[in-house]
Amino acid sequence: MTDEARKRELNRLRAAIDAVDDELVALIRRRAELAAEVGRIKEDGGDSPFYVPSREAEIIRRILAGNDGPISDAALHGIFREIIGACLTLEQPLSVAFLGPESTFTHVAARKQFGAGARYVACRNFDEIFDEVESGRVTYGVVPVENAFEGAVTHTLDLFVDREVSICAEVLLGIHHHLLTRAAALDEVRVVYSKTEALGQCRDWLQAHLPHARLESMESTAAAAERAKDEAGAAAIASLQTAERLGMPVLVENIEDHHDNITRFLVIGQHDSPPSGKDKTAIVMSAPNRPGALHDLLEPFRERGIGLTRIESRPTRRRMWEYVFFADLQGHRKDDRVAEALEAVRAMPDSFLKVLGSYPVAEPL
């Protein structure tokens, strides 16, 4: 092909791409108009939630099931998440609380779930996120609940016992940690700041490469980077988004001990989600301290063939050696089998049961 012929072909293909882009914009505009109409109908209905995670899950699952490439599922998911989020803000402006400052992993997870169109409210700690949601000052909050390798975020679990919020969605986020510092080499680093969970997820790397550095826990990875930014000999473990926001050099990338590192976040609000066909239900329960108490709490689920994907014990902080049990069940609280099992637990003498919410199962991408 001659240079002139190549140029003509490129111009033809670019014109075709421009035409497709114009079609996409028109279709997105049409989708936005339909979403706005949905919002008006919901507003007339009074108490219908604008954000319905089960509906979003159905849309995403349907789109990914029909994806034959060449765009990956993860890329297509990201594109439609932004479109859905932008349309949702036309139904109702959303405010979302997260652990601040900007660019923490909680912020990244919130942006993944709600897109760029929501108003994001940075909070100093998890208690403040729950306060914002419980009081109605924000529509939703996002909190981490467990890491695939380090286990539960216990402070989050403890807050669910007494707070009046509901879980309506979960977000799975691949976590990659990076060493941010203005030091030119590792032997110049004397202290490493980060959140406790991030330090734990990089424990082996830190012992191997920075055995003499002091480790200090901060309230968030982004706050750690802000602390280390102008301190000689200091480094922080944080996200690439934080490095970009603060203009901090990344000395070493991907220092997490497990590169398939995933943290699960929960979206909390004033309601949970309707059934989507593939759901989880989160509960917290307890019974008097006696032999077989935990067995009795779990038996109604075994009898009905309901699987538990997680169970975790936490002290009640009311009496010594008294515990509550957090569990995630397969199924929705409105499913007949799940509803029967929950009622059987409630009927047990002196038992305690709190349903934290039902929500669609998130798929790792």
Side-chain angles (χ1 to χ4, degrees), residues 299-318:
E299 184 64 12
F301 305 105
R302 187 201 67 80
E303 288 177 345
R304 292 163 179 81
I306 300 168
L308 273 63
T309 60
R310 182 177 68 93
I311 185 165
E312 190 96 23
S313 65
R314 290 293 298 154
T316 63
R317 299 188 176 186
R318 295 189 178 96

Side-chain angles (χ1 to χ4, degrees), residues 28-280:
I28 291 171
R29 184 185 302 114
R30 176 59 179 150
R31 191 191 195 284
E33 291 168 351
L34 292 170
E37 184 62 25
V38 168
R40 284 190 287 273
I41 292 172
K42 288 181 177 178
E43 190 170 13
D44 290 343
D47 58 354
S48 298
F50 287 85
Y51 173 55
V52 184
S54 58
R55 170 60 179 154
E56 292 195 7
E58 290 169 2
I59 293 171
I60 295 295
R61 289 168 188 166
R62 177 176 56 79
I63 288 166
L64 296 186
N67 182 29
D68 296 325
I71 295 178
S72 69
D73 281 356
L76 195 61
H77 179 275
I79 292 167
F80 270 88
R81 176 57 67 193
E82 284 294 337
I83 292 172
I84 292 170
C87 291
L88 184 60
T89 59
L90 296 176
E91 294 186 33
Q92 181 193 45
L94 295 181
S95 53
V96 182
F98 68 95
L99 179 65
E102 290 183 23
S103 70
T104 61
F105 287 109
T106 309
H107 187 209
V108 174
R111 288 286 297 264
K112 178 181 177 182
Q113 185 70 11
F114 292 100
R119 179 175 68 89
Y120 292 96
V121 179
C123 296
R124 292 168 295 180
N125 50 54
F126 297 153
D127 301 69
E128 194 171 301
I129 296 173
F130 276 76
D131 286 342
E132 291 293 302
V133 173
E134 197 171 25
S135 66
R137 288 190 293 268
V138 300
T139 325
Y140 300 102
V142 177
V143 291
V145 67
E146 66 173 332
N147 177 263
F149 297 99
E150 287 295 304
V153 180
T154 55
H155 190 187
T156 298
L157 294 180
D158 293 341
L159 287 167
F160 275 114
V161 176
D162 296 317
R163 299 303 190 101
E164 293 304 318
V165 300
S166 296
I167 301 169
C168 58
E170 66 175 356
V171 185
L172 301 181
L173 185 68
I175 303 293
H176 297 287
H177 294 297
H178 311 283
L179 191 72
L180 282 54
T181 180
R182 300 198 184 280
L186 287 174
D187 58 10
E188 297 179 17
V189 175
R190 298 191 301 272
V191 58
V192 178
Y193 300 111
S194 199
K195 201 167 189 308
T196 300
E197 290 82 1
L199 292 171
Q201 292 164 29
C202 302
R203 184 182 300 110
D204 294 344
W205 189 93
L206 290 168
Q207 289 178 351
H209 298 278
L210 291 171
H212 303 300
R214 188 175 80 256
L215 307 182
E216 288 202 17
S217 180
M218 300 286 291
E219 58 269 26
S220 71
T221 54
E226 291 179 351
R227 170 79 178 270
K229 183 173 181 282
D230 298 314
E231 183 179 330
I237 297 173
S239 67
L240 282 179
Q241 289 90 339
T242 296
E244 293 167 0
R245 180 174 67 86
L246 296 178
M248 280 192 73
V250 177
L251 184 60
V252 187
E253 294 185 353
N254 300 326
I255 65 171
E256 64 277 358
D257 296 332
H258 301 276
H259 296 310
D260 53 349
N261 189 25
I262 292 178
T263 293
R264 189 164 71 99
F265 296 82
L266 298 176
V267 179
I268 58 175
Q270 300 290 343
H271 63 87
D272 62 357
S273 178
S276 74
K278 189 177 182 182
D279 303 289
K280 288 181 187 175

